[in-house]
Amino acid sequence: MGSSAIRELLKVTEQTDIISFAGGFPAAEYFPVERFREASDYVLKNYSSRALQYGTTEGFQPLREYMVNKMAKLGVKRSVENVLITSGSQQSLDLVGRIFINKGDRIITERPTFIGSMQSWRAYQAEFITLPVDEEGMNTEALDETIKLKPKFMYILPNYQNPAGVTLSMDRRQTIVKLARQYGIPIVEDDPYWELRYEGEHLPSLLSLDEEMGRVRFSGESARDLDHGKVIYLGTFSKTLAPGLRLGWIMAPAELIRDCALAKQGMDLHTSMFVQMVAYQVVKDGFLEEHIAQVREVYRERRDIMLNAMSREFPSVVKWTRPQGGLFLWVTLPEMVNSLGILRKAIESKVAFVPGSAFYPDGGGDNEFRLNYSNAKPEQIEQGIKRLGKVLASELETAALNI
Ligand SMILES: Cc1ncc(COP(=O)(O)O)c(C=O)c1O
C-alpha cells in the first residue's frame, strides 16, 4: 500500500478556486435533503430503539427485500438470503478480496479499471491479469486463453465503466457469462451507474444473463435452487442517492453471502442501522426512481456541455469517449505526452483531472486521463475545459518541438 504521487497532487483539488474534474462525486446541490430530514425524523420518532441499537450483519430486512424486488424488475429472481447490506461498494470489494484472494492468486480485471478495486486487492497481494477495454467494454478476444490461467474471479464493470465511460456490448456480456460458467470462474459485477443512462437501451446485467443460462440448463422450477451461478453483483446508493450514506449491497449465492457476512463481522459488525432505516424510508414508494429521473437530466446536460466544450477547446489530435451514461469520460492524447506532467501544469491553471496511469494495474495509460462531469456546474465545466484546452495546446506544442 502507500499514498501515490497522484493522490498527493490531487489533494490541492480541495482548494475552492480549482475546477476539479477529478473525483467521482455526484452533484451535491441535488441531494434530496428535505426527504432525508423527514425520513430521519420518522425513524427517530417511531423506531429509535431499533435504529440506534446494534443490528444484524446481513442488514435491515426491509432494505434487503427492497433490493430483491428492485432486481426482480430486471429479471433476477432472488431472495433475502442472497443479499448482504454493506457500507458501500468499496467495502463489498474488500469483502470479496478477503474471501477469495490469497497471496499470488490471479484475478482478471479490465485495463483500465476502478482504482478502489486495486487498492483493496493489492492489500491481499493479488496478481492482476488484465484485458484491454475498447469502445465496447472489455475486449474478450483473449478471454478464453486468459481464463485457463485459473483466476480466482474476473472483475467486470459493464455500464459506463469507471474510468473509461464505455459500455460492455451484448455479445461480450454473453461471451463472458458463457466462459465463466464453462470454467467455473466467479464474476464480480460492479454496477454503480446502470440507472444513470442518458441514451440508448439498458442491456441485461451479467447476473441476469447468468440466471437465464442457469434456467436453460436446469429447466423447470427447481432451476432456481439448483443453479445460482457464480455472479457476485455489487450495487450502491452512492451515485444515485448520496455517497455520504456509505450504503451498498452484494447480491450473490446464499453460501457466499454467509461467507461475506462472517468477514464483515470482523470489519464493522454491520452497516449503521440508523443509516439503513433512514435510506429505506427515503427510497421506498418510488422516490428513488423519481430522484434518479431528475439527476439523470442534470448529468446528461453536463455530459453534453463537456463534450461540446471539448470539441471546441481541445486540439484536434486529442480523442475521447462519448459515454451513454455514468459520470466519466476518457481522454487519449498522442503517445509522446504524459498526462501526469500535464496534470502539474493543469493544476497551475486551476483545473484538475486524474491521470490514466492511476487506473492501470500493470502499467500503461501514461497518455490518457479521466474527466468527471457530474460535480462541476455547467459554467465551471465550460471554464475548466477552456483552461484545460489551453494547457493541452501548449504541452502538445512543446512535445512536438522536442521530437
Ligand atoms: C466502479 C465503482 N465501484 C465502486 C465504487 C465505490 O462506491 P461506494 O461509494 O459505494 O463505496 C465506485 C465509486 O466511485 C465505483 O466507481
Side-chain angles (χ1 to χ4, degrees), residues 55-61 63-64 80-86 248-250 254 257-262 264-265 269-271 273 276:
T56 53
T57 306
E58 287 78 4
F60 182 48
Q61 188 83 354
L63 189 61
R64 295 169 79 200
V80 282
E81 299 93 72
N82 301 115
V83 180
L84 173 76
I85 304 293
T86 64
W249 65 92
I250 303 178
I257 291 295
R258 282 193 290 275
D259 290 345
C260 287
L262 270 179
K264 184 172 160 65
Q265 271 168 16
L269 289 183
H270 62 82
T271 295
M273 277 304 275
Q276 292 186 68

Side-chain angles (χ1 to χ4, degrees), residues 88-90 114 157 162 190 192-193 236 238-239 246:
S89 277
Q90 188 61 48
F114 172 54
L157 300 125
N162 178 3
D190 192 1
Y193 304 101
T236 175
S238 283
K239 311 299 173 169
R246 308 311 303 129

